[in-house]
Amino acid sequence: MSKGPMIRAATVAALLLAVAPLWTPPRAAPSGRVADCTGRRIASWSVDSGHTAEFARYGDGNARRDDWTGGDGTHSVRLPDGRTLWLFSDTFLDRIQPPPNSQGQKRRWRTADAGGVPLLRHNSAVVMSRSGRLERTLTGGTAAAPGPFFADPPGGGRRWPVRASVEPRTPGAHEKVVRVLLWNRAPGTGPWIFGVPHATEVATLSLPALRLEGVTETVGPASVADPGRRVLYGAAAVRDGGWTYVFGSDDPPSSPASSAFLARVPAGRLADRGSWRFRDGAHWRRQAGRAGPVLRAGGRRGVGSAFTVVRDGPAWVLITMDTGGGGAAGMRAVTSYWSCSPHGPWHGPNGRLTPPRPPAPDPQHVVVYNPQIHPEFTANGEFLLSYDVNWLGPPGVPADPRVNGDVELYRPRFLRVRMGPAGR
């Protein structure tokens, strides 16, 4: 859970090199006329029980040992054939048992086939049909010994998938692929219990088979020596004109809030390290180490390391946990910012939304995090917003027995949100 988540294919590299002399970067498209841009915020919300119930149905299905039964870091991307690929960070597999659980509670619970600890892997993907039915889980390894879909980095650590995009294999190409942004986190302890920020990577998946072709590092650790100031990109990615704008954040160990950063990449070039440009506050730079915050943490302002950005007309809306709310608010309430361009200025925070949590014997320890807009499911002017749920008890009390003893505590939940005016 984030605070608030190979080998490069030779053919891809060859194609990129082949077209490089003929390609020129697109002109920056205007992000809506400022005169037409007004402030936006979440104005109303309602529970979307359909998506929540579909993940519960699929997670409880027990069709295979390597099926998804729970996870966090919920992201999605619509595929050209109408299917949806859902991406998860830490993922539980194995079996779901009927109530009562081992504590005698009327809760469905998770166990391994032969007893012992259920399988936890650092990532997975789940394919949803065009009709909205979850159908299969993508993992690595074998059905008997499943591993993460995106293999753990050499030497340990984890890869967490974040935003994904369907784009041309190369600029202007007819063939399309899925590019998945990954956070590579090295093993860590203390403030880095969920891994030391290491690098941003991009995985390429073939279409329609979703075969993993390779993983390429796009922003490496050498750009910033201090891991507390190192930016992992991919919290959000928004296509605008000929560019993909990729948002990221730092992860200071002594602060509950992060600052938001911005990069942009021409469409078709997400996996090309040399095509990334980073906003320094006023200009686009080649060097990742020269990036400056577009939304700086401080006081009530700041973002969680996982947040989401969506276009609402000419406005850009950033939704994050309310990290500046003080106390437990950073794991309870959602807030938003708005801007007329991806690089700001960002206005806010605006308002607070407290998502409902599943019932539990000790509700004070149930937290929510990682709000994510899924724009492909927008309907009647309402966005689909997911959020993750977990259990964080007193220091020294492990979460796994509680999470595995009640499967509702580690599955995404969904809301429908409608935007409305927000003042400056």
Side-chain angles (χ1 to χ4, degrees):
M1 183 190 72
S2 61
K3 181 186 65 179
M6 271 170 230
I7 300 174
R8 181 183 302 180
T11 55
V12 176
L15 284 169
L16 289 173
L17 291 172
V19 300
L22 305 177
W23 173 84
T24 56
R27 291 179 178 271
S31 302
R33 291 180 298 165
V34 173
D36 297 334
C37 177
T38 57
R40 308 298 288 168
R41 62 182 288 180
I42 296 176
S44 62
W45 62 273
S46 60
V47 171
D48 185 295
S49 57
H51 283 85
T52 302
E54 177 58 17
F55 276 96
R57 179 203 67 80
Y58 181 74
D60 291 345
N62 283 337
R64 296 161 55 104
R65 185 171 185 261
D66 59 346
D67 266 349
W68 181 98
T69 65
D72 69 355
T74 310
H75 294 82
S76 67
V77 60
R78 181 64 53 82
L79 305 179
D81 59 9
R83 295 176 299 162
T84 302
L85 182 67
W86 292 87
L87 298 160
F88 291 91
S89 298
D90 289 345
T91 301
F92 278 109
L93 306 174
D94 270 320
R95 299 291 180 181
I96 301 301
Q97 306 295 337
N101 63 14
S102 58
Q103 289 80 44
Q105 300 164 341
K106 294 182 179 180
R107 301 279 191 266
R108 287 185 173 271
W109 55 291
R110 182 183 296 107
T111 184
D113 279 345
V117 179
L119 294 176
L120 175 66
R121 297 295 180 259
H122 288 142
N123 61 72
S124 69
V126 182
V127 180
M128 174 180 276
S129 71
R130 286 177 291 179
S131 65
R133 186 176 177 85
L134 297 167
E135 294 185 324
R136 63 189 176 106
T137 301
L138 305 180
T139 58
T142 66
F149 184 55
F150 305 100
D152 290 341
R158 63 194 71 187
R159 286 186 167 110
W160 282 343
V162 278
R163 289 302 300 175
S165 178
V166 174
E167 66 171 20
R169 184 177 284 279
T170 57
H174 176 72
E175 182 187 7
K176 295 188 182 299
V177 294
V178 182
R179 309 284 194 198
V180 182
L181 288 142
L182 304 173
W183 289 349
N184 180 326
R185 300 183 77 102
T189 58
W192 307 116
I193 187 172
F194 299 115
V196 178
H198 184 70
T200 301
E201 300 172 326
V202 175
T204 298
L205 308 183
S206 68
L207 285 170
L210 299 174
R211 180 176 61 85
L212 177 58
E213 296 183 349
V215 174
T216 302
E217 183 181 278
T218 54
V219 185
S223 60
V224 177
D226 178 3
R229 296 179 54 247
R230 198 171 290 157
V231 178
L232 297 182
Y233 289 89
V238 181
R239 182 76 56 82
D240 188 50
W243 300 94
T244 299
Y245 289 90
V246 185
F247 293 81
S249 61
D250 56 11
D251 197 2
S254 59
S255 171
S258 299
S259 296
F261 295 76
L262 180 66
R264 72 178 187 185
V265 190
R269 295 259 174 177
L270 269 175
D272 178 18
R273 180 175 189 153
S275 295
W276 284 58
R277 299 293 182 269
F278 305 89
R279 191 74 177 179
D280 70 355
H283 305 94
W284 296 101
R285 302 292 188 182
R286 290 178 177 270
Q287 302 87 358
R290 299 189 64 178
V294 295
L295 196 166
R296 186 181 297 276
R300 284 190 52 84
R301 288 171 63 85
V303 298
S305 56
F307 57 91
T308 189
V309 179
V310 68
R311 295 296 301 275
D312 187 37
W316 297 67
V317 181
L318 184 154
I319 298 173
T320 180
M321 299 308 298
D322 185 11
T323 57
M331 301 294 277
R332 295 281 191 274
V334 172
T335 190
S336 66
Y337 297 80
W338 70 271
S339 176
C340 291
S341 74
H343 47 77
W346 288 92
H347 307 278
N350 299 293
R352 295 181 68 198
L353 184 167
T354 304
R357 292 169 286 163
D362 46 2
Q364 73 276 18
H365 296 309
V366 179
V367 297
V368 302
Y369 56 105
N370 186 36
Q372 289 294 320
I373 289 285
H374 305 272
E376 62 269 30
F377 291 98
T378 302
N380 301 319
E382 293 181 330
F383 294 101
L384 182 68
L385 175 74
S386 70
Y387 58 97
D388 296 331
V389 181
N390 209 328
W391 186 91
L392 291 182
V397 179
D400 283 359
R402 300 299 182 98
V403 169
N404 288 321
D406 182 357
V407 295
E408 287 191 53
L409 294 178
Y410 205 63
R411 286 176 177 170
R413 302 175 78 84
F414 295 85
L415 305 175
R416 285 282 173 185
V417 298
R418 184 178 293 275
M419 303 297 177
R424 289 182 180 272

